[in-house]
Amino acid sequence: MKGLSICHSSTASSSLPGFIIFFITFCVHKLESARFTVIGPDHPVTAIVGEDIVLPCHLFPRMSAENMEVRWFRSEFTSVVHLYQHGKDEYGQQMPEYHERTELLKAGIMVGNVALGIVNVRPSDEGQYHCFVQDGIFNEEAVLELKVEASGSAPQISVEGYQDGGIRIVCQLAGWYPEPEVLWRDRRGQLLSPSTETKSQDGRGLFEIKSSIIITENSNQNLACSIRNAYFSLEEEPSTFYISDFFFPRMSPWPVVWSVTLVISLVFVSLTLFLLKLRGKHLNTISKLQVDLEWRRSLSDVVRANVTLDPDTAHPYLVLSEGGKSVRWGDIEEDLPGNPERFDYWECVLGCGGFTAGRHCWEVEVGGEGYWAVGVARESVGRKGDISRSPEGGIWAVGWDWWEGQFRALTSPVTLLPRRRAPSRIRVCLDCDRGQVTFIDAGDEAPIFTFPPGSVPGERIRPWLGVWDTDTWLRLCP
């Protein structure tokens, strides 16, 4: 018994230094693990079937993720969409449906950008994605939602003959996603129930729908067939037509044949008129834009504002030039006082002073192709934490999203603007009296986007700039 006791004491004594070394190593390893937050978009990302999309994700604060594990997955941790590990991409665990369709965009990985690119988007790609980043024993993740859509053919109306004492009219469409709703309405806009409706999906997962309704004499003879978008509950332009009582059969079958033939002709005429109407709408829109542009050019009371940037509001990662005329994103966080006016989450800055009345404009030159935004903000805009960069958060702006390759207006949800590249010089026109802000391409005088009258509140409004990439700068023009 004494020998056993002596042996146990010796073992405990000899293992104590090992335990201390293990504890110190564990603590050092824990301290070495970087602390960060993984940030994704605060709104669903929308992709078009057949096109490419980038799912944004980055670390905050900005730091290199080159030696971290980056795992993009769906509902299960093991259902891997893309895996980056030990400084390289690993494809052994990747789900087969994403084979050769994903890429971790490493151009910004040194500053914490871990965005994922997906090529040739499919309907099956829709759903939630987890952006998981691990450094040592520390890990964080962000969850974002991808919505997929495809706009197919317009409603095609055809007449399929006589049935149950009336005429059977069919509305067909194909190539839509998600599944749209086909709506029949009478002359008063009231919804009608279809007699039959069949739905199917093609090889790509896109929906085909065939809906029919029977028109009887002295009933709903003035009809419209339209499509409702499953995401936004918006109806597409309807196809409409009218059938007179004269076309319905009485005693002889020959009027039936003749009426069906005539109705088919009327349908083709209606479709032709519909296309001409669409063309007319586009011409009217262009004409209105031209008139609006001429109106803006003729304004005599617009004040060319001499805008400078307020250093007390600049995020610590932003570097302002002497005189406050330009701003760029810095590599390191500046040691600045955390005053109440300073933004501490999104890298943005306000202009000095501001405006409460009158019409004012200024121009901003853009350098680089990173992630930036230009616009105005109300004096009381939030400065601390994750603010909403939209009118709801007190910001009215347009900007270029490098991660998604899109020029867009920062509405809620965002409005994609039909431009392949962002302008190199943007004119901001603020009308305090009308509560309106307009953005114009200063290069070709083309309108970019207008927040409508009354959308900007009647309080002091200040210029607002945001920069989120090291290779991008914004400069206020003289």
Side-chain angles (χ1 to χ4, degrees), residues 178-190:
E179 179 184 328
E181 183 180 4
V182 177
L183 303 176
W184 290 98
R185 297 185 185 273
D186 62 13
R187 69 178 68 189
R188 296 184 301 275
Q190 298 296 315

Side-chain angles (χ1 to χ4, degrees), residues 356-369:
T356 57
R359 294 170 177 170
H360 311 269
C361 71
W362 59 92
E363 294 183 3
V364 181
E365 184 179 359
V366 180
E369 297 184 353

